[in-house]
Amino acid sequence: MILISTPSTKIILLLLASVGQAIWNPILPGFNPDPAIVRHDRDYFIACSSFEYYPGIPIYHSNDLGTWTLYSHAATRPEQLQLYGVPTTAGAWAPSLAYFEGKYWLSAMTRWTYDPVAKVWPRVWFISSTDMVHWSDPTWAEPWGIDPELFNDPVTGKTYLNLMAPNNNIDKIWGIYGCELSLQSGKCIGPYVSTWNGTLPGTTGRPEGPKTTYKDGYYYMIIAEGGTDEQHRVTVSRSKHPLGPYQAGPHNPLLFNGQWGFSNLTVQSTGHATLIETADGEWYASYLARRNVNGSSPLGRETFLAKVEWVDGWPSINHDGEPVLLSDQVPPVLEGQRQVPEPWVDDFSRPTLRPEWYQLRTPYTKNYEILNDGLFLHPNVFNLDDRDVPAALLKKQTSLNMSFSAELLGFKGELGPRNKVGISAYLSEFQHQDIGLGGCINATGMCLYAETRMNNTVDHWQTPLNSTEDIESGLTLHIRATPLAYQLGYTLQGEEKPTYVKEVSSKWQAFAPSDWLVFTGNMFALFATGEGQPWPYTAPTVGFARVKETYFEEDIADYDRW
Ligand SMILES: *[C@@H]1O[C@H](CO)[C@@H](O)[C@H](O)[C@H]1NC(C)=O
Ligand SMILES: *[C@@H]1O[C@H](CO)[C@@H](O)[C@H](O)[C@H]1NC(C)=O
Ligand SMILES: *[C@@H]1O[C@H](CO)[C@@H](O)[C@H](O)[C@H]1NC(C)=O
Ligand SMILES: *[C@@H]1O[C@H](CO)[C@@H](O)[C@H](O)[C@H]1NC(C)=O
Ligand SMILES: *[C@@H]1O[C@H](CO)[C@@H](O)[C@H](O)[C@H]1NC(C)=O
Ligand SMILES: *[C@@H]1O[C@H](CO)[C@@H](O)[C@H](O)[C@H]1NC(C)=O
Ligand SMILES: *[C@@H]1O[C@H](CO)[C@@H](O)[C@H](O)[C@H]1NC(C)=O
């Protein structure tokens, strides 16, 4: 938008300012990678990857591109998402959204493992919905690969599947491939062709995440290149035909914060963009980026928004690929500071679980119950180290400066040394930082304990509860998250200030052992476990009365200097 200071445009701008509001990045803070945006009438929706979390594929809604609420999840049934034994970072990847034939369409893929021994390849699927809430069972697509997109050609009405795929199963040179697709069968009904290999030389570019837009006689294909880490970037090509040949744009990459150094700007790994036209003919792009804190990003890959202009028939993102700075608003620049969100409280007074809570992998059994305004966990033999479904509910960490506090339900009786209930700063089965209550180790009675994990080094701390009586209500566990560290603490009934007993550098919540990957971000977990044994039938019932998140200002600089 151009600022012209005639009285009438001033009034219009004031009106806009009162309707819309200043847009700050990230628009979806926390682990919300691979955003795919779609508009239908005045509604915007963004779908993101969910990896090993269930339900899968969160969908956010907005009317103004600035205020987003979690609207639904696309994969809510085991028929849609089979996450059995999947390791961290496998699972549901990289959705695309489209609206055609009077319905919403979502395509994505499930990656069950990336273990080369298993030889299990990602499988592509798509589902449809008339309301973005109730989704069909999947149709499995014929090609295999990642980041599938259903593109409905507005000129011919034909639907194409575009994806990142190998040239064949022997040399596995990845590129963008596509075919005309049958929505009924999921099979190609025309030639399956290589459409674009991106702009990077050789076979290391990893062109991925194709997103197609038709405008003024051209099909524009936006992709991500360079792998998902430091080299991640946005590039564009265009063609007169949906299946190519595609010609690269003259100003690639359209967005690449890494070009100013991998440890310079706070915002890194800018890529995986989708273009969107507003009802008023303005253009934007949703994309993913990390906020680096001294070189690591504990919140993982978050959803960002940029303004797009069209110049000589090509899209230009963020004023011609200028660096993305956290201090810059997304245009139009309006009055207003970045807001600190109100606290988030869940006292489990609703009959069903709020949608912000996830489980790890597809549950086999019911692992929780909401009763009498409390969350009761049904602990099983699995814990947060297992590649299974422990009795755990997890919520995304959405601020780099916040606290997560959970008050335990009181109970009668005593927990044995393998019976634990607690909270965790959770990244993966490898990296989670726990504080909780359990039977004391090598001593009688119950203890408060904390267990931290740094690259397979497990550090255990415990202190006796000093109460032989039943646990009354009021024991609250705390995680204080700051950009550089997580602190674990507790308050006993009547205490005001948490006693913090452990601190862990936040870099460990962005860490994977060698041969493993981090595509997710930190979550906060409520959990209970029998640690390898069934929860004793005589053991107390455990759970939580209340969870509260408090957010503080996030004063994160444009440059990653700490
Ligand atoms: C992309 O690379 C593959 C493998 O080298 C090649 O077969 C294909 O023709 C290339 N595609 C395009 C559109 O250039
Ligand atoms: C850091 O990024 C800025 C762009 O915002 C650039 O001007 C500057 O040269 C970069 N510094 C280094 C050390 O690369
Ligand atoms: C419990 O005792 C065993 C045997 O002495 C010891 O190896 C272990 O470290 C102890 N555990 C804790 C948490 O104190
Ligand atoms: C993690 O542990 C492995 C194996 O002991 C070691 O090679 C690696 O350097 C460690 N990484 C870090 C960041 O400590
Ligand atoms: C229990 O008592 C011991 C000894 O006085 C003390 O060190 C410990 O902090 C107490 N535990 C709690 C949870 O207050
Ligand atoms: C986090 O919040 C605290 C409390 O409001 C504040 O003192 C601190 O400066 C904040 N840190 C950052 C990095 O914004
Ligand atoms: C930032 O990371 C470096 C290298 O890992 C470390 O030496 C330094 O202490 C960290 N800075 C802060 C403020 O934590």
Side-chain angles (χ1 to χ4, degrees):
M1 178 177 304
I2 301 158
L3 287 166
I4 311 166
S5 52
T6 65
S8 60
T9 50
K10 255 188 187 156
I11 288 165
I12 292 167
L13 284 173
L14 278 175
L15 279 174
L16 276 176
S18 63
V19 181
Q21 56 164 355
I23 305 177
W24 298 97
N25 275 317
I27 55 166
L28 298 176
F31 152 56
N32 285 299
D34 307 323
I37 192 167
V38 73
R39 178 180 65 84
H40 178 54
D41 294 333
R42 295 260 163 196
D43 293 307
Y44 299 96
F45 295 97
I46 289 179
C48 295
S49 296
S50 48
F51 297 94
E52 68 266 36
Y53 293 95
Y54 190 92
I57 313 285
I59 297 170
Y60 297 87
H61 173 260
S62 177
N63 287 117
D64 60 9
L65 293 173
T67 313
W68 293 88
T69 51
L70 180 58
Y71 194 75
S72 61
H73 288 87
T76 54
R77 303 187 299 277
E79 293 75 16
Q80 298 165 307
L81 192 57
Q82 309 76 25
L83 304 177
Y84 299 115
V86 300
T88 182
T89 288
W93 282 22
S96 283
L97 283 174
Y99 185 89
F100 57 87
E101 295 184 359
K103 286 197 267 193
Y104 295 99
W105 297 83
L106 186 148
S107 52
M109 32 72 60
T110 306
R111 181 149 199 185
W112 283 275
T113 179
Y114 41 93
D115 173 354
V117 174
K119 282 202 167 193
V120 174
W121 309 123
R123 287 296 302 260
V124 169
W125 47 267
F126 56 90
I127 55 182
S128 61
S129 169
T130 53
D131 60 5
M132 276 279 180
V133 175
H134 303 91
W135 290 88
S136 69
D137 281 343
T139 302
W140 298 95
E142 192 177 17
W144 78 267
I146 67 165
D147 301 0
E149 173 206 32
L150 289 185
F151 172 67
N152 184 256
D153 185 347
V155 180
T156 63
K158 293 179 178 180
T159 300
Y160 296 86
L161 174 72
N162 299 315
L163 78 171
M164 179 201 191
N167 61 337
N168 58 51
N169 277 6
I170 296 153
D171 23 65
K172 294 207 189 84
I173 301 168
W174 292 81
I176 308 297
Y177 284 75
C179 67
E180 190 191 341
L181 194 78
S182 159
L183 288 167
Q184 281 67 46
S185 70
K187 290 187 187 303
C188 290
I189 50 172
Y192 180 63
V193 297
S194 159
T195 52
W196 196 33
N197 287 327
T199 63
L200 292 176
T203 54
T204 53
R206 294 196 73 79
E208 61 186 28
K211 299 283 193 285
T212 312
T213 301
Y214 178 77
K215 186 176 187 294
D216 303 332
Y218 282 104
Y219 299 87
Y220 290 87
M221 185 186 285
I222 301 270
I223 64 164
E225 285 187 74
T228 201
D229 290 326
E230 292 167 331
Q231 298 279 358
H232 205 51
R233 67 193 66 196
V234 180
T235 55
V236 66
S237 62
R238 73 178 186 191
S239 172
K240 287 279 186 189
H241 188 273
L243 291 179
Y246 276 88
Q247 177 208 354
H251 303 300
N252 282 317
L254 297 187
L255 200 60
F256 177 34
N257 259 25
Q259 70 188 282
W260 293 283
F262 301 146
S263 53
N264 183 18
L265 290 156
T266 293
V267 176
Q268 292 286 336
S269 306
T270 50
H272 207 103
T274 308
L275 299 188
I276 187 78
E277 184 180 11
T278 70
D280 307 319
E282 301 279 327
W283 288 77
Y284 286 86
S286 66
Y287 65 97
L288 74 78
R290 301 173 184 276
R291 280 184 288 170
N292 267 5
V293 174
N294 202 23
S296 1
S297 47
L299 268 52
R301 300 169 303 157
E302 308 176 270
T303 292
F304 282 59
L305 190 74
K307 189 75 178 70
V308 176
E309 306 294 342
W310 289 86
V311 183
D312 300 331
W314 292 96
S316 154
I317 301 187
N318 200 43
H319 315 286
D320 261 338
E322 280 182 12
V324 178
L325 303 177
L326 287 175
S327 61
D328 284 347
Q329 259 183 50
V330 180
V333 175
L334 302 172
E335 285 293 312
Q337 292 301 304
R338 202 183 269 275
Q339 299 291 316
V340 176
E342 291 299 310
W344 188 90
V345 175
D346 194 351
D347 57 8
F348 304 105
S349 56
R350 299 184 187 185
T352 54
L353 200 61
R354 291 176 63 158
E356 288 87 352
W357 292 110
Y358 292 86
Q359 296 190 70
L360 282 164
R361 308 176 183 85
T362 308
Y364 297 78
T365 55
K366 193 144 179 53
N367 297 315
Y368 68 88
E369 198 167 3
I370 292 176
L371 267 182
N372 307 327
D373 292 355
L375 171 76
F376 290 85
L377 293 173
H378 295 315
N380 57 38
V381 299
F382 302 106
N383 68 17
L384 297 176
D385 292 338
D386 289 308
R387 211 163 284 163
D388 208 284
V389 191
L393 294 175
L394 304 96
K395 189 175 179 293
K396 292 173 188 184
Q397 180 184 347
T398 54
S399 165
L400 285 163
N401 200 11
M402 65 177 288
S403 62
F404 177 88
S405 302
E407 182 187 334
L408 268 80
L409 288 166
F411 60 79
K412 292 189 187 310
E414 198 169 287
L415 299 174
R418 291 197 166 275
N419 311 144
K420 288 175 175 163
V421 54
I423 68 173
S424 180
Y426 181 95
L427 176 71
S428 67
E429 59 267 34
F430 304 110
Q431 284 303 130
H432 53 94
Q433 320 301 344
D434 312 339
I435 182 158
L437 181 66
C440 299
I441 313 268
N442 298 343
T444 55
M446 279 196 285
C447 277
L448 282 163
Y449 81 99
E451 230 168 58
T452 55
R453 283 169 181 73
M454 289 162 275
N455 198 14
N456 264 328
T457 307
V458 181
D459 188 68
H460 185 92
W461 167 93
Q462 66 178 17
T463 190
L465 206 55
N466 301 332
S467 154
T468 50
E469 299 302 307
D470 302 329
I471 297 291
E472 307 288 343
S473 57
L475 170 58
T476 305
L477 304 170
H478 305 276
I479 299 173
R480 176 72 173 95
T482 58
L484 287 165
Y486 292 86
Q487 285 178 290
L488 309 176
Y490 66 89
T491 42
L492 300 174
Q493 191 169 32
E495 290 178 351
E496 290 265 318
K497 264 185 156 333
T499 305
Y500 288 106
V501 298
K502 280 275 163 197
E503 180 170 309
V504 181
S505 165
S506 66
K507 74 174 183 188
W508 293 110
Q509 296 311 89
F511 170 83
S514 49
D515 295 338
W516 297 92
L517 304 164
V518 184
F519 290 165
T520 58
N522 190 66
M523 311 279 283
F524 294 116
L526 309 171
F527 71 91
T529 173
E531 289 213 312
Q533 292 179 356
W535 190 256
Y537 71 99
T538 50
T541 318
V542 292
F544 292 87
R546 188 168 185 267
V547 170
K548 181 175 184 183
E549 290 189 345
T550 308
Y551 312 103
F552 307 100
E553 72 266 27
E554 283 181 281
D555 190 10
I556 310 297
D558 288 331
Y559 296 89
D560 188 17
R561 316 257 149 77
W562 291 83

